[in-house]
Amino acid sequence: MSAAEPDGAGGVRLSSARGRWVLGCVVLASGMAMLDGTVVNVALPRMGRDLDASLSALQWVVNAYMLTLSALLLWGGAMGDRMGRRRTLVLGVAWFAVASALCGLAPDEGTLIAARALQGVGGALLTPGSLALVRSVFHPDDQSRAVGAWSGLTGVAGALGPFLGGWLIDGPGWRWIFLINVPLAALVLAVALRHVPESRDTEAAAKPFDVLGACLGALFLAGVSYALIGASGNPSPAGIVLPALLGLGAGVAFIVVERRRPNPMLPLSLFRSRLFSATNAMTLGLYAGIGGILFFLPVQLQTALGYDALQAGVATLPVTVLMLLLSARAGDLARRVGPALPLTVGPLIAAAGVLLMLRVRPGSPYATDVLPAVVALGLGMSIFVAPLTATVLASVEADRAGLASGVNNTAARIAQLLVVAGLPLAVGLSGDAYQDAQAVNTSFHRAAVGCALLFVLSSAVAVLFVRPHGRRCLRGAPQPMCRSHLGVNAPALEPGSAAGRPSYGAD
């Protein structure tokens, strides 16, 4: 933390009144975004019927948010370091609230998609700011407990999401999953402005930000996503080829620009580490599998099995509960035995859970067909998520851990973005077919096989590139820094911490 941190930042004690206000503020801010993200997928069938929307429109309801969030996440973290973390959090919360109100009041699918894109901008400012404030505001002796409390309480918000969201969708209506953010945001803003001290990184503020890189990255994601979603809607070939070429061209230009920039948004030198490259490749595969199956499962449960929104939301609750209970233990296990075992076994268990979903079809009982599959998926995710994040952080020098974490979080969101764009096309679901039980059932089973394959391939990457035991020394450092398994210099995982808890919905 910079020596120029103002207003008592870095010295607030968790046990003080101000410390409790700060913790409550960041928990509410993070919980607001998580609550919104966990229920949007559940609300998609109801949105589609109310707005008479096609499947491609529903894909954009998810991906418009993911697109702007993925493209601007690193930018949001950098803005916090430069402009002030409290200021960026306040801006993000206010932006998120206004965009949420626009989502809730949207009269048609086009307005809803545009509002979701704006909501993603707010999320990109809000998401990095919450944990950054915890790290920068609290006294060093209290930071571990503060991070643990922040993570656990935010996880509780995620667990409440299916209940609250399902009740809102079935009761007042799906619009209230967005409108409820407005009073929550007002409370966060009041607390932040009165009780949260400002902090910033003066060294980061002196460096120019890579605006061109951020724009090219966003253009790449937008072009590829538009082409994939457009293909499932069967537009003219020109409407697919042109955005695809534009997106791919922007991707090539992004790599060229990042290689030449003195302060790139994405330093390509990070990928010289084989372990960093391998674990980020695993992140793409694993989070694509998670995003794909959690996009299709609520549709299958509601359209093919006749669940209401509350039942569909609660049906996936075991995933969240297992993550809260087991992620920290999985991180401890990885520190003892090395990351290779959990990164190999966890994806295979998740794959088995997804394959069990082949038994989920119209008339399937929840206790014998749905629950075992969801429990196996949650168990597998609990085993691999924390070791995956910790291995990413341990694969680079300690002073680049924050950047590595940002890259890895962006990779996870890009994977979810692309799988929601491309998977319906791959399994043959398009147009209004998401309202047909037989069509959804057939496509869901194809999607389950594809997502299971992604988990298996990710496990194979772990076998090939993650060392099962022994010590490794980081080359190129001024002094050799030897790390055992995850590394003595790697940040420790707190119980239920961000490293031990995924963002696997639409958030």
Side-chain angles (χ1 to χ4, degrees):
M1 185 173 61
S2 171
E5 303 285 16
D7 301 331
V12 176
R13 304 306 301 236
L14 183 60
S15 58
S16 68
R18 192 176 205 185
R20 290 190 292 271
W21 279 114
V22 171
L23 182 63
C25 176
V26 295
V27 165
L28 276 175
S30 302
M32 180 177 64
M34 177 171 286
L35 199 70
D36 187 82
T38 55
V39 298
V40 167
N41 283 2
V42 176
L44 290 177
R46 191 68 57 85
M47 291 178 185
R49 289 193 295 270
D50 287 356
L51 298 176
D52 194 23
S54 65
L55 177 64
S56 60
L58 297 183
Q59 289 173 272
W60 274 116
V61 169
V62 176
N63 274 2
Y65 178 89
M66 293 300 301
L67 174 62
T68 50
L69 180 68
S70 302
L72 301 176
L73 191 62
L74 292 176
W75 200 347
M79 280 187 62
D81 291 339
R82 289 164 168 77
M83 292 175 47
R85 299 179 182 106
R86 185 188 69 171
R87 182 180 300 174
T88 304
L89 179 73
V90 166
L91 176 61
V93 169
W95 190 303
F96 193 86
V98 172
S100 295
L102 292 175
C103 290
L105 299 173
D108 52 53
E109 60 188 54
T111 305
L112 177 59
I113 291 168
R116 284 284 285 168
L118 291 175
Q119 204 181 26
V121 177
L125 298 173
L126 160 65
T127 303
S130 297
L131 184 56
L133 272 172
V134 173
R135 288 292 191 187
S136 63
V137 167
F138 285 103
H139 190 280
D141 294 343
D142 290 342
Q143 284 187 8
S144 294
R145 288 193 299 123
V147 170
W150 169 83
S151 324
L153 292 171
T154 305
V156 170
L160 291 175
F163 293 101
L164 179 59
W167 177 78
L168 289 172
I169 295 165
D170 289 334
W174 62 264
R175 296 178 183 278
W176 282 93
I177 67 173
F178 300 113
L179 295 176
I180 197 174
N181 290 328
V182 176
L184 290 176
L187 179 59
V188 172
L189 292 175
V191 174
L193 293 173
R194 182 173 177 83
H195 298 286
V196 177
E198 184 60 280
S199 68
R200 61 177 56 86
D201 185 340
T202 53
E203 293 182 3
K207 299 177 182 178
F209 186 73
D210 183 13
V211 176
L212 180 59
C215 293
L216 288 172
L219 190 59
F220 162 69
L221 294 173
V224 173
S225 298
Y226 187 90
L228 289 171
I229 294 176
S232 66
N234 299 316
S236 65
I240 300 172
V241 174
L242 184 60
L245 291 177
L246 181 64
L248 293 174
V252 173
F254 174 80
I255 294 175
V256 172
V257 167
E258 297 305 279
R259 287 177 63 90
R260 297 180 178 178
R261 290 261 164 172
N263 295 295
M265 184 180 73
L266 176 62
L268 299 181
S269 59
L270 286 172
F271 294 93
R272 292 173 186 167
S273 164
R274 187 178 72 165
L275 184 60
F276 182 82
S277 299
T279 47
N280 277 284
M282 287 186 66
T283 298
L284 289 172
L286 293 171
Y287 280 88
I290 294 169
I293 201 62
L294 292 182
F295 177 80
F296 268 91
L297 182 57
V299 179
Q300 170 76 350
L301 293 176
Q302 293 179 74
T303 302
L305 277 73
Y307 284 31
D308 61 28
L310 178 59
Q311 291 170 329
V314 174
T316 60
L317 185 61
V319 174
T320 304
V321 173
L322 287 168
M323 292 296 304
L324 288 172
L325 294 177
L326 300 180
S327 287
R329 292 177 174 84
D332 292 336
L333 175 65
R335 280 194 292 271
R336 292 196 302 269
V337 304
L341 181 62
L343 291 183
T344 301
V345 174
L348 293 178
I349 295 175
V354 173
L355 290 177
L356 283 175
M357 293 183 188
L358 295 175
R359 301 170 59 192
V360 178
R361 57 186 68 249
S364 293
Y366 178 78
T368 59
D369 290 347
V370 181
L371 181 60
V374 172
V375 167
L377 174 63
L379 180 60
M381 290 169 57
S382 300
I383 291 172
F384 71 69
V385 167
L388 178 66
T389 306
T391 305
V392 169
L393 297 179
S395 66
V396 300
E397 293 89 343
D399 61 355
R400 307 187 87 181
L403 178 60
S405 177
V407 171
N408 189 245
N409 273 284
T410 302
R413 286 167 171 82
I414 288 173
Q416 294 171 346
L417 170 73
L418 295 180
V419 78
V420 171
L423 189 57
L425 173 66
V427 300
L429 192 67
S430 62
D432 296 329
Y434 71 92
Q435 299 181 25
D436 180 83
Q438 186 56 49
V440 167
N441 185 64
T442 301
S443 297
F444 172 74
H445 289 159
R446 293 172 181 168
V449 173
C451 292
L453 181 59
L454 288 170
F455 286 125
V456 171
L457 291 175
S458 300
S459 176
V461 172
V463 171
L464 293 174
F465 296 104
V466 181
R467 295 188 179 186
H469 53 74
R471 299 174 66 87
R472 67 181 284 269
C473 291
L474 184 64
R475 298 175 182 174
Q479 296 178 349
M481 294 183 292
C482 293
R483 303 176 180 186
S484 174
H485 301 311
L486 294 180
V488 295
N489 294 316
L493 290 174
E494 299 297 331
S497 70
R501 174 171 46 80
S503 177
Y504 55 81
D507 63 324

